[in-house]
Amino acid sequence: PPADFDKIERMRHVAMSDPEFAAMVEGGHPEISIVTDEFKARPDLITGAQWIINYKTTTDADPGRFSRKAADLGYPMRAVMECELFKKAYGNYPRGYALMVQEKESPYICKLFIIYDASRPADEQPAAWHYGRSELAPAIKMYRKCCEENRWPALGGAEDLQIPDYIMKRAGLL
């Protein structure tokens, strides 16, 4: 619809008005698939400078709130996996990995969150990189076991929906 198109254009204008970000994405390659026998990834953009950029919209780009959401949604683990697949395909890690986060409501605030930066020593990578690495190996192990046994425990069955204690307390039920 025209209203959605107009909103997207305004969001794009805000994102590209940051000269550092605009320069970073200029000449990039959108949605290139990286595929192995077992895994695949399709980053939103691989820049000319070999950074992987994934674009995310959010209701709140505040670093504290978004970082919690990013961890819950597995973004750090996905970043590590995409970097590993990039290395397998091209022989080296990308120069960096970032999430370009933009709020969905005006004024469409943008924030670039770095997850990996090849110019930093391994022990100085962002916490998200270390967290993602710690999450990836067990996830791959679980995936391989499910494939091997053709059993996917997260699918099917019924269980009670649990409500976190802090929400129950807020409702006066605990």
Side-chain angles (χ1 to χ4, degrees):
D4 289 350
F5 179 81
D6 292 343
K7 180 178 179 177
I8 291 166
E9 285 296 306
R10 288 190 304 274
M11 290 175 78
R12 182 181 188 285
H13 175 76
V14 169
M16 298 308 284
S17 68
D18 177 341
E20 186 177 329
F21 179 73
M24 180 183 237
V25 300
E26 187 176 328
H29 305 283
E31 298 188 3
I32 292 178
S33 296
I34 305 171
V35 181
T36 67
D37 290 341
E38 188 173 27
F39 300 106
K40 63 182 174 182
R42 191 177 181 116
D44 291 337
L45 183 72
I46 298 176
T47 72
Q50 292 191 349
W51 272 72
I52 294 176
I53 306 286
N54 271 311
Y55 176 74
K56 303 294 180 193
T57 57
T58 185
T59 55
D60 192 346
D62 173 77
R65 286 185 283 280
F66 183 77
S67 64
R68 180 177 173 181
K69 182 178 180 179
D72 287 346
L73 294 173
Y75 294 164
M77 181 174 61
R78 177 180 169 181
V80 172
M81 183 170 183
E82 289 182 359
C83 287
E84 292 295 340
L85 291 172
F86 185 97
K87 181 180 179 187
K88 193 167 192 159
Y90 300 106
N92 55 279
Y93 281 112
R95 291 202 179 128
Y97 188 105
L99 296 176
M100 171 54 163
V101 175
Q102 187 168 31
E103 291 185 355
K104 298 176 190 180
E105 299 299 324
S106 184
Y108 311 113
I109 293 169
C110 296
K111 182 80 178 161
L112 194 66
F113 291 99
I114 307 299
I115 294 179
Y116 173 73
D117 183 346
S119 69
R120 300 182 196 180
D123 62 339
E124 293 180 20
Q125 290 300 323
W129 177 255
H130 297 290
Y131 177 72
R133 287 189 81 70
S134 75
E135 294 287 298
L136 183 59
I140 289 175
K141 184 178 179 182
M142 183 188 321
Y143 170 76
R144 287 177 177 157
K145 182 178 181 193
C146 290
C147 286
E148 194 176 287
E149 297 175 359
N150 195 24
R151 188 164 125 341
W152 304 89
L155 302 176
E159 63 181 78
D160 292 346
L161 177 64
Q162 301 298 315
I163 304 298
D165 286 349
Y166 76 93
I167 293 174
M168 295 295 285
K169 285 178 186 175
R170 187 175 61 204
L173 298 171
L174 279 182

